[in-house]
Amino acid sequence: MTATRILLDESEIPTHWYNVVADMPNPPAPPLGPDGQPVGPDKMLAIFPMALLEQEMSAERWIPIPDKVREIYGMWRPSPLCRAKRLEEVLGTPAKIYYKYEGVSPAGSHKPNTAVPQAYYNQLAGIKRISTETGAGQWGSSMAFAGQMFGLEVRVFMVKVSYDQKPFRRSMMQTWGAEVFASPTTMTQAGRDALARDPNTPGSLGIAISEAVEEAASRADTNYALGSVLNHVCMHQTIVGLEAKKQFEKIGEYPDVVIACCGGGSNFSGLAFPFLADKAAGKNVRLVAAEPTSCPTLTRGHYAYDFGDASGYTPLMLMYTLGHDFVPPGIHAGGLRYHGDSPLVSQLLKEGLIEAVAVPQLATFEAGVMFARAEGIIPAPESNHAIRACIDEALACRASGEPKTLLFNLSGHGHFDMASYDRYFAGELEDFEYPEHEIEAALPRLPKVAA
Ligand SMILES: *Cc1c(COP(=O)(O)O)cnc(C)c1O
C-alpha cells in the first residue's frame, strides 16, 4: 500500500526558518520613504519590534525558531503531507498529487505560522496590544489566537464586506479574546476619509491596513502585525516547505511542480521558498503561484513601487500592483483580494525563477468540490485556486502521459466559507476578468519614484 499521509514526529519540527534572500540572484529592492530614500528600521520601530525588523532586513540563510514558538507550533505541527490518490483516479492522470495540509491549525489555515512568532517577539519587546486588519477573517483569527497564547490584547479591523458575510469568523476572534470592528470605522482618520469618499464602501484590505497602522502608530503600548507580504512573514511560513521537504525525503520522492495560491504571497513563499533553495543549486523544479483573474496582481499588474495600504501610510515597496487604491470586486476568495504582492515573490517572478497563473472563480469552486468529493476535506476558497492550477497540471500530464509529481498547499479548510459554496451551488457566482482599462488607469496614480 502506498502511504497516503506522510507524518513527522513533533521532535522533527524544523529548528530554523529559511530566508530566501540568501539564495536570490539579486538583493531585494529596499522599501522607500516618501522622499524616495530607503527606509531604515528606526522609522518602523513605532509599529514593529526590533527582532522582526532585523528579520525583515536579514540576508542570513537560517534564522533560529525560538523554543516557545516551536512549543506552540507543536499544538498542530508538523502538518501532514498527503497523497491525493482518489483525486488522481478521478482525473485519470499518471501524475502523483501531494498536498501539504495547513487546515489543521487552530485557526484553520497557515496563518498562525507567522501570527505565533509575531506575538512572541512583540511580547518579548514589552508590547501589550496588537492592532491588525483582516480580510476574510483568517488572519484576524490567527492573530487573536496567537495574542491569547502570549497574553496580548488584539484589536482587529475587519473589511466590512467580510464582517457582514462571515459572522462566525468574528465570533471566533472574540472567543480568543480579540475586539473586532467593521472597517472602515469612524475611529481613525483613514476610516473617516474612506467613508467620506464613499459612505457605502464595502471596505478593502488597503483601507483596513491604514486603520490598523494608524492605531498602532498613535499608541506606545500597541504594535501592528501584518499577515502576509512582508519578508519576515514569508520567512515564518517556510516552516511549511521545510517540513514538506523532510516528508518527501522520507518517501524518496521530490516534486516536479510546487503550487500555492497567492494573495499577499505568504503561503506560496512558505511552501515554495525552501524548494527555491534547491532550484538555486541547479535542481529542476517549477514553482507556480495561482491567483484569481479578478485580482490578477502577478499576471497583469505593474511592477512598480507602490504603497502597501490605501492611504499611503506604509513605505513604498517594489512589487506587482494593481494600484493601492484598488477596490476589489466582491469575489469569494477574500484572502486573495490584495492589490499588491510580496516584494520577494514579485522580484522572483520578475527574474524568472517562479511562475504565476490566474484562474477564474467558477473553475476554482469546481476544483474545490471535486477535491472535497475525492479527498474529503472541504478547502478554503483561496486554496481552491491552488487546487485548480494543480488539476490543470495533472490534466496536462494525462494528455502527455508524463507521470510528474505535483505538490500543492492546501492552505486552509473552508468550514467558515460554506456560504460561498452555497452561492456556487445556487449558480450565483460569476467569473470576472479585471478590466484592462482599470489596470491602465492605475498607472498614473502610482507614486512617482524610479523603480
Ligand atoms: C490568507 C489566506 C491566503 C492568502 O494569503 P497569502 O499570504 O497569499 O498566503 C490563502 N489561503 C488561505 C486559507 C488564507 O487564509
Side-chain angles (χ1 to χ4, degrees):
M1 194 182 106
T2 47
T4 52
R5 273 162 69 86
I6 301 102
L7 301 173
L8 297 174
D9 196 74
E10 199 176 316
S11 64
E12 294 174 277
I13 295 175
T15 54
H16 291 71
W17 292 298
Y18 167 68
N19 184 1
V20 75
V21 170
D23 288 315
M24 284 169 68
N26 295 297
L32 301 182
D35 54 357
Q37 295 303 309
V39 185
D42 47 311
K43 290 256 170 54
M44 318 250 245
L45 268 174
I47 59 168
F48 291 110
M50 197 58 197
L52 289 176
L53 291 174
E54 279 168 7
Q55 292 181 0
E56 187 65 20
M57 315 275 171
S58 173
E60 287 291 318
R61 181 173 282 107
W62 298 105
I63 307 279
I65 305 177
D67 284 345
K68 283 201 170 142
V69 172
R70 282 184 84 227
E71 221 170 85
I72 294 183
Y73 278 170
M75 291 166 79
W76 72 94
R77 307 209 69 86
S79 70
L81 176 74
C82 307
R83 171 100 182 256
K85 200 89 182 75
R86 290 169 54 93
L87 180 65
E88 291 167 19
E89 277 159 25
V90 171
L91 296 170
T93 178
K96 289 180 192 165
I97 301 177
Y98 289 90
Y99 63 93
K100 180 76 169 152
Y101 185 40
E102 289 297 309
V104 291
S105 80
S109 76
H110 65 290
K111 290 196 170 77
N113 296 333
T114 184
V116 169
Q118 290 195 50
Y120 167 79
Y121 289 115
N122 274 293
Q123 190 226 25
L124 209 61
I127 289 297
K128 303 284 179 243
R129 201 155 159 273
I130 295 290
S131 82
T132 194
E133 73 292 331
T134 196
Q138 289 273 21
W139 170 243
S141 41
S142 302
M143 199 60 237
F145 156 70
Q148 187 56 231
M149 292 299 103
F150 289 98
L152 298 175
E153 286 175 41
V154 175
R155 171 169 282 196
V156 184
F157 294 90
M158 184 172 189
V159 178
K160 186 170 181 299
V161 60
S162 300
Y163 186 94
D164 296 337
Q165 277 173 5
K166 307 208 164 160
F168 296 134
R169 277 276 166 202
R170 174 176 47 69
S171 346
M172 219 173 159
M173 292 183 251
Q174 289 164 338
T175 303
W176 279 315
E179 297 175 289
V180 190
F181 303 96
S183 166
T185 70
T186 53
M187 292 154 49
T188 65
Q189 192 58 46
R192 290 189 291 272
D193 289 349
L195 289 169
R197 280 195 302 274
D198 177 6
N200 298 316
T201 176
S204 73
L205 215 43
I207 297 168
I209 294 174
S210 298
E211 291 207 271
V213 169
E214 187 179 324
E215 163 102 7
S218 67
R219 288 184 55 148
D221 66 348
T222 304
N223 265 352
Y224 170 69
L226 188 62
S228 189
V229 180
L230 298 180
N231 301 0
H232 67 270
V233 178
C234 293
M235 190 187 71
H236 297 156
Q237 291 295 348
T238 59
I239 188 93
V240 177
L242 292 168
E243 283 180 8
K245 281 174 72 170
K246 284 195 188 187
Q247 286 159 314
F248 273 114
E249 221 165 86
K250 277 212 162 164
I251 53 169
E253 300 255 12
Y254 194 91
D256 297 295
V257 190
V258 175
I259 302 165
C261 68
C262 197
S266 75
N267 91 92
F268 172 77
S269 305
L271 184 68
F273 284 179
F275 291 95
L276 194 125
D278 298 342
K279 194 179 167 98
K283 187 110 186 164
N284 194 8
V285 51
R286 288 175 52 214
L287 310 172
V288 182
E291 64 181 9
T293 55
S294 56
C295 184
T297 318
L298 292 173
T299 50
R300 293 171 62 207
H302 304 285
Y303 189 60
Y305 269 101
D306 198 5
F307 296 109
D309 68 319
S311 297
Y313 290 166
T314 71
L316 297 167
M317 296 179 288
L318 183 56
M319 60 183 176
Y320 284 97
T321 177
L322 296 168
H324 58 275
D325 49 4
F326 171 77
V327 176
I331 59 155
H332 280 264
L336 305 183
R337 282 189 295 217
Y338 185 57
H339 69 273
D341 227 301
S342 146
L344 293 178
V345 170
S346 296
Q347 185 165 328
L348 290 166
L349 177 66
K350 184 75 182 171
E351 293 179 351
L353 286 163
I354 65 168
E355 304 165 38
V357 291
V359 286
Q361 177 162 259
L362 290 176
T364 66
F365 273 93
E366 182 199 21
V369 170
M370 192 187 273
F371 181 85
R373 289 179 184 175
E375 300 295 326
I377 298 169
I378 300 175
E382 291 84 359
S383 314
N384 287 345
H385 292 68
I387 300 176
R388 177 76 255 169
C390 186
I391 287 178
D392 290 344
E393 289 287 340
L395 293 175
C397 288
R398 184 174 73 186
S400 68
E402 282 175 286
K404 286 186 188 168
T405 300
L406 312 176
L407 166 65
F408 75 86
N409 206 6
L410 185 50
S411 52
H413 66 63
H415 299 176
F416 293 89
D417 303 286
M418 296 319 296
S420 304
Y421 278 88
D422 275 351
R423 293 198 56 201
Y424 170 67
F425 291 129
E428 290 167 16
L429 295 189
E430 290 174 350
D431 284 340
F432 180 78
E433 284 285 313
Y434 192 61
E436 191 57 35
H437 65 86
E438 292 279 5
I439 295 175
E440 278 163 29
L443 194 55
R445 296 199 300 267
L446 292 176
K448 303 280 175 288
V449 286

